[in-house]
Each structure stands twice: as structure tokens, then as C-alpha cells.
Amino acid sequence: MSIHPAALEALRSRLNSATIYTPDSENYKQSLIRWSDTGMRHAGVVVQPTQAPEISVALLWAQENDIEVAVKGGGHSISGTSSSDGGLVIDLSRMNGVTVDTTRKSITAQGGATWKEVDEAGAAHGLAAVGGTVNHTGVGGLTLGGGYGWLSGQYGLTIDNLLSATVVLADGRTVTASNSENEDLFWGLRGAGYNFGVVVDFTYQAYDQKNPVFSGILGYTPDKLEGVVGALNEALAHPDSRFGAMCILTLAPDGSGPMIILIGFFNGSREEGQSKFAGFTALDPVLNTLDMIPYSVVNTLQNPQATYGDRKSFKGIFFQPPLDPLFARTIFNDFMTKIQSEPDLAASAIILEFTDMRKICEVPLASTSLASRNTTQNGIVYLRWTDPAKDLEHRAWAREAQAKWKAELDAATPDQGDKSSVPQYINYAEPGDSIVSNIYGGNIGRLREVKIKYDPNNVFHKMHPISTNA
Ligand SMILES: Cc1cc2nc3c(=O)[nH]c(=O)nc-3n(C[C@H](O)[C@H](O)[C@H](O)COP(=O)(O)OP(=O)(O)OC[C@H]3O[C@@H](n4cnc5c(N)ncnc54)[C@H](O)[C@@H]3O)c2cc1C
């Protein structure tokens, strides 16, 4: 259903400097582009504001005209939660400014900024924030759902370093949320934050990062899988908050077949880094780019694989270390058989993160709305293809793969009682995911209260909506 021309005219007359795209505008199609083609929808109108009052106008207009609202930060939602079929998209991409306060050591990013802008602004002053590991991801979605990055072992999640946020609420008011103002909203934003308003800026604690870090890519042939998993388990068994790793099971881009990629990170000297990665380099990698590089560059290492375009599926997987090498082998073989038998899936991967969770688990569970503070590690079954006719089939296969990880996790956590009660990371769960279904855990009761207070009419309902009914 299209939006009535008179309503659009009324919107235009109330907005001065915001850019507005409707289906007949020249750059309308461009404005719909998302990281994954599966996240694109045909909006009735796209508003790109430059300041908070314009967001307020757009929100009130949508409610007066009974029009659905979507908010776009970095546009990485795969299932279309930052897009709308026929409704209003508030696209924050023109609100991407970043400022650094060197005295307070904080970084303020507007709601439409990406981590690239944050990393680069911080680096110019020898500072870094806890942000995403792929630098074109938006600060918006990543922060509102928790936020893991290479610095999480040392400093916790992105939300653990959020000092304040400015939010435009559904009733049009602009408010500050922090530990001293609207504390309940601040609590809700940190883990369920897509549900309460449009965040126009985030202020993060930053940390001295003048030194480069020891980081890079190691590549292994498939026969090294058990060795790599063993070294990863060993690293987590003797945790060092400065260490992190990502293990990627994929096909080599040169067509030579299955391979294991390890992205390594150590926030310390070359000598210490070499010693931390000795167990990995001893496995004779076929590729080794480990070196001292700037922190901001580490967050570009995955960019060549994580490009825009094509159809994509993200299925969150969660595992309790140590990861069983036998299980990893079964998963690896099944995955490689699948993506080698379907050339359109060749750019797919299973991504496993290895993070020292101690700092994250130090934060009391009740102090933020994020329910998944526990020792399980995060990963993703990531499928990428081009043929829309294969959407259902590929998603079903990814769900089956995800179910195997869930069964493995359940077996590894026998003391949890009701297995569904292990809350899992919200940012790696697509809405409607039947396997990763426990997102808010025991925080759901308080979240309902905050929702009723700040968004009683459920204007913000696209990503893991909080029902106001008990
Ligand atoms: C390539 C890639 C790499 C990733 N790497 C990491 C990682 O290292 N660590 C990690 O924790 N997660 C990571 N993720 C997951 C990521 O955190 C989520 O996909 C996140 O939602 C993306 O945010 P976005 O702003 O780019 O996306 P969008 O699609 O713009 O937004 C996602 C959701 O957040 C809402 N939203 C966004 N901005 C705002 C705002 N300012 N105010 C209100 N609502 C807003 C949107 O409405 C939407 O519902 C990654 C995802 C991808 C695709």
C-alpha cells in the first residue's frame, strides 16, 4: 500500500534540511541498499535527517498517519529490520559525525556512524573504543544489542563502555539516557536497545591505544583442523584478556578448496604476541600475515570477505569451550560438502569467535538488559548466495546446521535445567529464529516495564520486539 500523496506533502512541508526519497525519486533505489540483498524492502518514504528535531517530526507524522517505522543505522540487518515494506525508513546515514574528547577520553558517534569512523577518529588521538570487527558495520545496531570486538577481553562489551546516549522517543521528545538520567531507559538500551527510540548519538569510554597490536591472518589446510581447535581451546584455558581469535571455515578464494582461516589478535608487543601464537604458528600455516599493525587496521581484515551484495543468512551458534575437535571435524566436513556441491554458496563460511569472557561476566547480569553474559562463545553459520529461488532451501539448511550446535551446547551445559534457558547473543539472532529463541532471559519482566514507559504503542518493533503483554 502506498502512502497518500497528501500525507507525503505534509511530511515534506515539515522537514527542511532532511533528504526525502519516495519511489519516484531519482536516488530512491540507492537509498534502499543494505549490506545483504535479503535486507532490502521497498519503503514508502525514506527520510535522511541531519538533526534530532527532524527525527521527531518524522516519528510524529508516521504515527498520525498510521505508517510503520523502521530505523536504519549501518544497514547490516539481514532480515530487513532496518527496512520497511511501504512504510517510513528513518535512515541515519547522514548523521555519521564522530567527535573525540581527549580530556575525558571519550568518543561520541552519531547514530548513523560506522565503526570505521569511530576507529579512525580515535586513532588520530591514540585512542580506541570497543567496537565491531568489521569496520563498515553500524555503531547503532551493534551497540544496541551488546557489541563484541577485539578489545572485549580487556574492556568488556560495547555497552559496558557506553557512557550515555541521546534518544528521540516515539512521543517526539529528545532525552539523554545515562547512569544519572533516565536510568531505566539506559538499562534497556544496553542489550534490547532497538525497542525504545531512535538513538541520535552514543558516547563511549575510549582507551589509550597508541601502540600497534600483533595481529593478522593465518591460513591452514583442512588436515590442521584438530590442531587449530586444540590451540584455540588451550588459549582459552589459559586466558589472557589481550588475546582474541576468530576461526573461519571456508573455501579458499583462489578455488583451491576448503581451508581454515584464523584471525589472531594480541594487544601487546611483538615478542609477547609471537609467544601467544606459538601454538598456532607451529602448525605450519600456509599463510601467515601476523605482524604489528594499528588497531584500526585489524577491523579491516575481514572486509574483503564481508562485502555488500548478494543474499545472506546469519544463524547464530553458541558453544561452550573447550570445543570438541571431533564435533568440529563433523561440522567442517558437512559444511564443505554442502558449499562445494553448490557453487553459488562458495563465499559462505562458519565463523567461530574465541573471546576471554571474564571481563564481560564481571558485569552483574542485572545491570544491563543484555541477558547473554555467560561463558559460551559466539559464532555464525554464514551463507551467501545469489539465486532468490534458493532462499528457503538455504535458510533451512543453515537452520539444520545451527540445530547441531544447539544440541552440542545443550549437551555441554547439563546443569542449566531447562535448556532453552541459556540466553544467547541477540545481535547474532535473526527475528523469528526458532532455535535461538531465548533472547531476553530473566530480564523480560523489567524490559516490559521500560517498554510501556517509553514506547507504549510499540512504534519500535522490528528487531526482537518486547511484547507489552505479560
Ligand atoms: C559483516 C558483519 C560483521 C559483524 N560483526 C560484529 C562484531 O564484530 N561484533 C558484534 O557484536 N556484532 C557484529 N555483527 C552483528 C551486528 O552487531 C548486527 O548486525 C547489528 O545489528 C548491525 O547494526 P547496523 O546498524 O549496521 O544495522 P542496521 O540494519 O542499520 O540496524 C540493525 C537494527 O538496529 C536498529 N538500529 C540501528 N541503528 C539504530 C539507532 N541509531 N537507533 C535505533 N535503532 C537503531 C535498526 O532499526 C535495526 O533493527 C556483525 C554483522 C555483520 C553483518
Side-chain angles (χ1 to χ4, degrees):
M1 208 180 71
S2 58
I3 301 173
H4 197 280
L8 285 174
E9 207 35 57
L11 178 66
R12 279 205 179 88
S13 71
R14 288 191 225 169
L15 290 171
N16 297 323
S17 56
T19 307
I20 300 176
Y21 297 107
T22 48
D24 53 358
S25 310
E26 199 181 328
N27 290 321
Y28 168 75
K29 281 200 175 137
Q30 188 75 12
S31 76
L32 305 180
I33 291 176
R34 297 294 185 267
W35 182 68
S36 170
D37 291 354
T38 53
M40 288 172 65
R41 304 284 184 275
H42 289 93
V45 57
V46 177
V47 171
Q48 292 180 345
T50 56
Q51 48 186 300
E54 293 165 348
I55 297 173
S56 175
V57 164
L59 282 175
L60 294 175
W61 170 85
Q63 291 167 86
E64 280 162 25
N65 291 283
D66 204 15
I67 288 168
E68 189 205 47
V69 175
V71 182
K72 184 206 161 214
H76 281 59
S77 166
I78 278 165
S79 53
T81 66
S82 53
S83 304
S84 174
D85 245 325
L88 163 71
V89 173
I90 299 176
D91 173 351
L92 299 171
S93 52
R94 294 175 76 202
M95 294 180 71
N96 64 350
V98 176
T99 53
V100 181
D101 181 335
T102 50
T103 310
R104 198 181 167 208
K105 288 192 180 159
S106 66
I107 298 179
T108 298
Q110 286 188 295
T114 65
W115 288 105
K116 179 178 194 288
E117 281 122 17
V118 173
D119 287 348
E120 289 175 358
H125 298 279
L127 293 171
V130 180
T133 60
V134 176
N135 75 355
H136 49 70
T137 319
V139 299
L142 188 137
T143 303
L144 296 172
Y148 282 83
W150 291 114
L151 296 174
S152 288
Q154 278 178 280
Y155 308 122
L157 299 170
T158 305
I159 51 169
D160 301 336
N161 295 285
L162 185 65
L163 301 175
S164 65
T166 309
V167 189
V168 182
L169 300 172
D171 64 10
R173 282 180 303 142
T174 300
V175 299
T176 301
S178 71
N179 272 327
S180 55
E181 275 179 88
N182 298 303
E183 298 93 318
D184 49 359
L185 176 61
F186 191 51
W187 176 84
L189 286 180
R190 289 172 295 160
Y194 340 89
N195 280 284
F196 305 107
V198 182
V199 180
V200 292
D201 61 53
F202 299 90
T203 297
Y204 305 102
Q205 183 66 61
Y207 298 92
D208 286 322
Q209 191 65 53
K210 293 188 178 64
N211 61 297
V213 300
F214 187 71
S215 180
I217 299 174
L218 296 164
Y220 299 93
T221 49
D223 55 304
K224 302 288 169 57
L225 180 67
E226 286 77 4
V228 173
V229 169
L232 286 163
N233 286 337
E234 191 59 20
L236 283 194
H238 306 284
D240 183 324
S241 62
R242 299 167 298 171
F243 171 94
M246 212 177 267
C247 181
I248 303 173
L249 314 179
T250 189
L251 293 177
D254 65 4
S256 59
M259 97 178 271
I260 302 150
I261 300 280
L262 190 108
I263 302 182
F265 178 87
F266 181 74
N267 192 3
S269 69
R270 179 186 295 278
E271 292 68 30
E272 278 182 292
Q274 279 169 339
S275 138
K276 287 285 163 198
F277 283 94
F280 296 91
T281 47
L283 293 168
D284 291 330
V286 289
L287 171 76
N288 181 355
T289 71
L290 284 172
D291 204 347
M292 297 304 290
I293 58 174
Y295 166 73
S296 58
V297 173
V298 184
N299 293 327
T300 67
L301 294 178
Q302 292 181 79
N303 289 359
Q305 278 72 48
T307 52
Y308 272 69
D310 296 345
R311 311 188 69 74
K312 291 160 176 152
S313 160
F314 256 36
K315 295 283 174 212
I317 51 181
F318 307 92
F319 59 99
Q320 185 65 47
L323 177 61
D324 178 358
L326 281 176
F327 174 70
R329 171 60 67 189
T330 308
I331 290 289
F332 182 86
N333 290 347
D334 288 354
F335 188 64
M336 292 307 157
T337 303
K338 176 71 183 172
I339 65 176
Q340 284 186 297
S341 67
E342 302 227 18
D344 197 21
L345 285 174
S348 303
I350 291 181
I351 303 166
L352 305 172
E353 300 173 358
F354 290 78
T355 307
D356 176 3
M357 295 287 187
R358 291 175 301 171
K359 186 79 185 171
I360 293 163
C361 292
E362 257 174 33
V363 176
L365 193 56
S367 66
T368 67
S369 60
L370 186 89
S372 58
R373 279 186 202 278
N374 50 49
T375 53
T376 57
Q377 300 287 326
N378 304 315
I380 289 169
V381 176
Y382 164 56
L383 297 188
R384 179 172 180 155
W385 68 98
T386 60
D387 181 1
K390 290 279 192 171
D391 283 5
L392 290 180
E393 185 187 324
H394 291 333
R395 287 188 187 127
W397 190 88
R399 252 193 312 278
E400 270 174 40
Q402 187 190 32
K404 290 181 192 152
W405 286 88
K406 180 71 168 64
E408 181 76 2
L409 175 66
D410 289 348
T413 50
D415 296 327
Q416 300 282 343
D418 175 7
K419 300 292 171 46
S420 64
S421 72
V422 184
Q424 296 169 343
Y425 182 36
I426 181 167
N427 265 341
Y428 288 180
E430 292 181 40
D433 189 330
S434 53
I435 291 167
V436 179
S437 54
N438 187 11
I439 299 298
Y440 296 126
N443 288 335
I444 188 64
R446 186 170 177 206
L447 276 170
R448 269 194 197 113
E449 289 168 21
V450 180
K451 180 76 176 174
I452 289 167
K453 181 169 169 189
Y454 290 96
D455 182 24
N457 297 322
N458 204 15
V459 171
F460 303 101
H461 61 265
K462 302 274 293 182
M463 176 79 171
H464 297 300
I466 297 163
S467 159
T468 47
N469 306 316

